[in-house]
Amino acid sequence: MTFSDADRTFAERHRVAHLATADARAAPHVIPICYALVGDAFYFVIDEKPKRTRTGLKRLRNIAMNPQVALVIDDYDEDWTRLAYLLVQGRAAIVNDHTEYARALAKLSVRYPQYRSMPLKYDTHPMVRIRPHHTHLWRATPNSAAS
């Protein structure tokens, strides 16, 4: 699928998404992620922030069992006329191509300067691609300018 200009603008203006995965028994798991939109796919990398493991994370185990995922990128404000969100439903997969990994990592490093000092590598830091099959951009008021 191709993103609308409004979907793309909303996603690129935000810094954090919430990733929802589910295991084989449909038990949900939701975590915040840093992401980059490259073409019509979202990417995130398992970075150097403290974790017990990089390859055995619940999100990766869930994706291996059930690749259907959702992302929510949202605006909350006490003024509810400013509420907005982008819901993305899609299929996730581990990136297995060095060129694709490098291209997405370059975009992630532009968005998140913290990644520039991390030794993020194809062999040690898994990356996930999410190819959307459905998006829904919602705003409380049609003219609200989502930040």
Side-chain angles (χ1 to χ4, degrees):
M1 77 161 281
T2 302
F3 286 97
S4 71
D5 289 343
D7 290 349
R8 186 175 299 283
T9 298
F10 192 89
E12 289 180 347
R13 273 200 235 155
H14 290 77
R15 310 280 297 152
V16 176
H18 291 86
L19 171 70
T21 63
D23 63 21
R25 293 171 294 146
H29 180 70
V30 179
I31 58 159
I33 62 165
C34 295
Y35 65 89
L37 184 56
V38 181
D40 286 320
F42 285 90
Y43 290 84
F44 68 91
V45 67
I46 306 303
D47 60 35
E48 289 285 316
K49 291 189 293 292
K51 297 167 188 61
R52 284 185 224 114
T53 176
R54 275 194 220 106
T55 57
L57 293 170
K58 178 75 171 160
R59 69 199 88 157
L60 296 179
R61 293 192 322 264
N62 284 357
I63 288 167
M65 288 184 274
N66 177 1
Q68 298 304 316
V69 301
L71 287 177
V72 173
I73 304 166
D74 68 303
D75 287 332
Y76 179 80
D77 195 289
E78 293 299 326
D79 176 351
W80 284 10
T81 65
R82 297 183 187 162
L83 300 178
Y85 69 83
L86 175 63
L87 170 64
V88 178
Q89 296 170 314
R91 187 171 184 88
I94 300 297
V95 173
N96 290 317
D97 177 82
H98 288 273
T99 303
E100 180 183 9
Y101 186 99
R103 185 175 57 248
L105 185 57
K107 182 83 180 253
L108 283 160
S109 295
V110 168
R111 281 180 57 83
Y112 305 98
Q114 299 88 333
Y115 284 168
R116 295 178 205 157
S117 63
M118 292 181 185
L120 303 175
K121 293 185 176 32
Y122 176 88
D123 295 330
T124 57
H125 296 79
M127 180 181 289
V128 174
R129 172 197 339 97
I130 300 168
R131 292 189 196 248
H133 56 73
H134 176 76
T135 64
H136 177 73
L137 180 59
W138 177 86
R139 290 190 168 102
T141 56
N143 295 326
S144 66
S147 60

